[in-house]
Amino acid sequence: MHRRRSDRPHGRLVPLPPWSRGTAGDTAAETSRHVAWVRLLMLVPLVPAGLQAGRSVAALPFGLLAAGYALWAGGRLLWVYRWPVTDARGAAAALVVDLTLITALAAVSGGRNSAVRYAYFMWPMATVLWQLPVVTAVFGIICVAGYTVMSVPGLPTHRADWTWSVMSDQTYLLWTVLASVVIAKLLSRRTRRIDDLLRSRELLLEDALQAESRERGDLADALHDGPVQTLTVAVQDLDEVPEPAGGNPLTRIRSELRTTIREIRGIIVDLHPEALSTKGLGPALKAMGQRCAQRGGFSVEYDIQSPAHLAHQELLYSVARELLTNVVKHARATEVSVYLRTECGETVLAVHDNGRGFTPAVAQQRLHEGHIGLASHCARVESAGGQWQVDSAPGGPTTVEVRLPS
């Protein structure tokens, strides 16, 4: 009996070995989180500066400003995890707030003699994470201006000495800004190259899937127009043979031929499912699950809630076919569940079984031995910008989850 699942398969999902993982770079949202952590960790070098300031009348102002910086850094970290910053304007505004607080902290704790001044050298390097050379250059210039403003309150009587000292620090600061701009430009160029390679990889994947689909369709048509028709005619001819006295020895032959015809038609459907193009991925998965359940002797539960037609549905169908075929061949399961949902701009496909499980590292070994079925599907998912995760162990259940952009 086939039942609908009310919940998706549970279990701790862990990545497959390194050979199966993609190489896509960090997203802008992840970058905003990294910068937020760098901002919060800036409190660590501020501690010695605070201890130095504690020996003078600057203790209270410095403490209040440091507390404000801590609240700002902690609040910003929570903010970007809840509402990630994905544009340069928001990031630049946050960095301006950082620089303003740093300038105030340096000004109240000794100006150019304060240990806080080293933050001006650190923040241009932090902006490299955004891989935007223009942003790094602009913010670097602002850092130089902020350092100059911070140094003015400590203007000594001997201005010549003050000027050379400030110019020396600013020279090092300008060098840091220039190096950060160069690094940001190189990283940006590398990221663009990786994006171009990924787009080319996706196009190659699409072409490969279309070629495979055409080949499967041609093979299905050949089986239907050739062996199936021949066997059908043979059965019809046998049906016309008069039954001999004392029983019909051809009954068993006719039964086996009809069974063979049904099996070949099932293979035809698996090779080129008509339901996938006419009704969508959900009905095609249910039909395939029913056929696999008959072959493997297990029951199937479904939790399928998705649009009729999805992006990458041929790839998802191919992955599900590979997973269910492996369950039939190896899992010795009695219960299998198939989960298909659209979540947060992603299509999630999960197959869970209560079979005997396996060690995920075995997949890499089987790849080296020439068994490329599961490995090739994993590579296709990664090439399409998706993720492939597995949770399994010998003697336990197995859950495989695939996520692809909708």
Side-chain angles (χ1 to χ4, degrees), residues 1 28 39 67 74 76-77 82 124 149 160 183 197-198 261 277 311 322-323 329 331 351 361 376 380 389 401 405:
M1 178 180 293
R39 176 182 293 108
R76 183 65 175 179
L77 181 64
R82 186 173 181 85
V149 172
I183 294 172
L197 290 174
L198 288 175
I261 291 173
S277 57
E322 180 69 23
L323 295 176
K329 292 180 178 179
V351 176
S376 65
R380 289 176 178 180
Q389 294 177 308
E401 180 183 271

Side-chain angles (χ1 to χ4, degrees), residues 15 61 70 82 108 143 166 190 251 287 322 376 401:
R82 186 173 181 85
V108 301
C143 281
V166 171
R190 186 193 66 174
T251 301
E322 180 69 23
S376 65
E401 180 183 271

Side-chain angles (χ1 to χ4, degrees), residues 194-235:
I194 292 175
D195 289 340
D196 291 340
L197 290 174
L198 288 175
R199 282 193 292 269
S200 299
R201 194 179 180 188
E202 291 177 3
L203 291 175
L204 291 174
L205 170 65
E206 184 178 353
D207 291 341
L209 288 175
Q210 291 178 354
E212 181 181 352
S213 178
R214 289 193 299 268
E215 291 176 357
R216 287 179 175 273
D218 294 341
L219 179 57
D221 291 339
L223 288 173
H224 180 271
D225 297 337
V228 171
Q229 297 300 326
T230 301
L231 291 174
T232 301
V233 172
V235 172

Side-chain angles (χ1 to χ4, degrees), residues 261-291:
I261 291 173
R262 287 195 299 270
E263 291 176 350
I264 294 178
R265 284 175 174 167
I267 294 173
I268 291 173
V269 173
D270 287 338
L271 287 172
H272 192 66
E274 184 179 355
L276 182 62
S277 57
T278 58
K279 299 180 181 179
L281 181 59
L285 287 179
K286 290 182 179 180
M288 179 175 57
Q290 183 177 2
R291 294 191 299 272

Side-chain angles (χ1 to χ4, degrees), residues 86-98:
T86 57
D87 64 317
R89 289 180 298 179
L95 292 174
V96 169
V97 175
D98 296 325

Side-chain angles (χ1 to χ4, degrees), residues 161-312:
D161 295 338
W162 175 88
T163 301
W164 283 108
S165 178
V166 171
M167 287 181 60
S168 177
D169 283 352
Q170 287 184 331
T171 301
Y172 281 110
L173 180 55
L174 286 171
W175 183 92
T176 302
V177 171
L178 178 61
S180 300
V181 171
V182 172
I183 294 172
K185 185 175 182 178
L186 292 175
L187 290 175
S188 176
R189 184 181 301 172
R190 186 193 66 174
T191 300
R192 286 196 300 270
R193 290 179 179 175
I194 292 175
D195 289 340
D196 291 340
L197 290 174
L198 288 175
R199 282 193 292 269
S200 299
R201 194 179 180 188
E202 291 177 3
L203 291 175
L204 291 174
L205 170 65
E206 184 178 353
D207 291 341
L209 288 175
Q210 291 178 354
E212 181 181 352
S213 178
R214 289 193 299 268
E215 291 176 357
R216 287 179 175 273
D218 294 341
L219 179 57
D221 291 339
L223 288 173
H224 180 271
D225 297 337
V228 171
Q229 297 300 326
T230 301
L231 291 174
T232 301
V233 172
V235 172
Q236 293 173 350
D237 291 341
L238 289 174
D239 289 338
E240 296 177 359
V241 175
E243 294 187 5
N248 186 2
L250 299 179
T251 301
R252 182 177 59 84
I253 298 176
R254 283 196 294 264
S255 177
E256 291 179 353
L257 286 175
R258 290 192 175 96
T259 301
T260 303
I261 291 173
R262 287 195 299 270
E263 291 176 350
I264 294 178
R265 284 175 174 167
I267 294 173
I268 291 173
V269 173
D270 287 338
L271 287 172
H272 192 66
E274 184 179 355
L276 182 62
S277 57
T278 58
K279 299 180 181 179
L281 181 59
L285 287 179
K286 290 182 179 180
M288 179 175 57
Q290 183 177 2
R291 294 191 299 272
C292 291
Q294 292 173 351
R295 295 200 302 266
F298 50 76
S299 62
V300 184
E301 296 180 351
Y302 302 99
D303 183 2
I304 297 177
Q305 297 183 21
S306 64
H309 296 281
L310 297 167
H312 308 293

Side-chain angles (χ1 to χ4, degrees), residues 34-186:
H34 295 160
V35 174
W37 278 108
V38 171
R39 176 182 293 108
L40 186 62
L41 292 175
M42 184 68 73
L43 289 170
V44 176
L46 288 178
V47 171
L51 295 175
Q52 179 184 12
R55 302 173 183 175
S56 65
V57 294
L60 181 59
F62 187 92
L64 293 175
L65 286 171
Y69 183 88
L71 290 174
W72 153 248
R76 183 65 175 179
L77 181 64
L78 296 176
W79 177 276
V80 297
Y81 268 92
R82 186 173 181 85
W83 298 287
V85 177
T86 57
D87 64 317
R89 289 180 298 179
L95 292 174
V96 169
V97 175
D98 296 325
L99 187 59
T100 301
L101 290 172
I102 292 297
T103 300
L105 284 167
V108 301
S109 59
R112 57 171 292 273
N113 293 319
S114 171
V116 178
R117 73 182 189 278
Y118 296 115
Y120 292 102
F121 296 82
M122 299 167 64
W123 266 120
M125 291 185 289
T127 62
V128 170
L129 294 173
W130 287 101
Q131 301 181 27
L132 297 172
V134 175
V135 172
T136 300
V138 171
F139 191 76
I141 294 173
I142 295 175
C143 281
V144 174
Y147 180 85
T148 304
V149 172
M150 175 271 300
S151 303
V152 170
L155 183 65
T157 304
H158 302 286
R159 296 187 179 182
D161 295 338
W162 175 88
T163 301
W164 283 108
S165 178
V166 171
M167 287 181 60
S168 177
D169 283 352
Q170 287 184 331
T171 301
Y172 281 110
L173 180 55
L174 286 171
W175 183 92
T176 302
V177 171
L178 178 61
S180 300
V181 171
V182 172
I183 294 172
K185 185 175 182 178
L186 292 175

